[in-house]
Amino acid sequence: MEPYGTHYLEERNLVARWPQPIPAIVSLVFTLVIFYATWWIFQDPRGWMRMYTPYVGYMYTRWWLIVLIWMVYIFNYWPLKRSWLEKTNPVIKGIILTAVSYGVLYVLIKGFFEGLLGNFGLAYFNPEQLMKLPGVTEFFAIEYAALACLMFAAIASWLSPAWVVACEEAPWQDLKQPGKGVSILMMTFFLSTLIYFMTMHSHMGILYYPWQYFTSIAPPYWEKFANTVSGNFHVSWIMCCTVTVWMVETIWGRYPFNLIKRNWLRRLVAFFGIIAIAFAMHFFLYFAQELTWGPAIRGTRRAFAPDWRWLHVGEMAVFFLVPALFITFYCNNWPKKFSMPVNVLIRTVVTVVAAILLYIFYYKTSHNFLGTQKGFSHPQQFPMIPTIWLINIWLVHHWFMDNWPGWKMVPKTADERATEHEKRTQEIQDVRWNPALGWGLGTGVVAGVIVYFITIGLLPVFYKAIDVIK
């Protein structure tokens, strides 16, 4: 039987039509044009559909990301055949697969969340049910329902790829599609539901007066620790988990977890190691705001409010994901000529610098061309929406269109696949424990501590020196 798209991404050979950096520049310009055109049609408050309310646009943006992950990472393009993926024109393939993703997205939002859950489970998933409550206007009913939906999406966008990247599809890795895809989808959806009720449901329960004491934990259990009753505290670390998963998968090439030989141990360490890295990012980025703007003050609003600062942690984290994906998709995960740890270090440094520059550029200019509002903490300023929208465009371009027109897809031969596998194996073997690696790790720890203290010392100085928003 002809296989589906299993291993299609790994086994395709994207050949650049021109020398670098021309293909990368062409792809960037091409995707930015599509980004802005679609942003104007679907999201921009000055455009046609005006879904940037902001939560309605955010909900569809986030769930579209998850649908793309489901189609490619979990279901491996099922039910499409491998030959169709290899032979179909990339433009036609991109249009068809994008249309399919929108169809799944619409059924998911309108059918499952609003229709099923909103009518027979939790009223706050359906705007029409919320409008039956006294004092809830149509606008807030729509926004609250969208907020609940996207909070669920935040969890699913972490766990869906994490089961593939960290757990390596176990224990269903040997199943054929669609059995494997359905099994992973059910597991990750179950875990997403469980975590949603423990992290986000209480946030929804306190949006209404009086607080829903008998249907949710009110005030939430994280109130004293996070200095807020808002679920943004959980949005923050979950968003950091999402970013960390993709950094591990892209610029890190699953390093250092791929050094662990035992399958069960590697998968366990990778899953919880990603969470540990995410929590380190989560608390450091919050601490960075304390250094920059001063302590958060509960009861205030905007940039000094703890709930907004937790949200902003997630927003800052997404800025790291944009350059990381660009390096992987359009720069062939440059560089590759050094050892695995050195390559990962260089890519990470480039990603961090690019993320900082993108952060500054976004807040300086986004209000001029995206229809957002000027400022860091304005209620109409949600950088996660345009950044994830751009990421979605890149995923469509890279996964569905094979980076057309800058690249063309040529299937790898069996010999090429074997050579590539042998090369990856050798790279891992080269990083096995030896005295030199021990000295390197020790030096890295010392350097990390020094960089940390330099960062917390210079961050306020840099912030005062750079006038991000005039």
Side-chain angles (χ1 to χ4, degrees), residues 2 38 42 127 181 183 198-199 239 253 265 325 397 408 413 425 445:
E2 184 181 359
T38 54
F42 295 104
S183 300
M198 294 190 298
T199 58
M239 192 65 235
L265 182 61
L325 292 181
H397 187 233
K408 60 180 178 180
T413 65
T425 303
V445 171

Side-chain angles (χ1 to χ4, degrees), residues 100-121:
V100 171
S101 71
Y102 267 101
V104 175
L105 175 65
Y106 188 83
V107 171
L108 182 69
I109 299 298
K110 295 298 181 181
F112 179 76
F113 281 104
E114 291 188 13
L116 184 63
L117 286 185
N119 287 322
F120 303 103

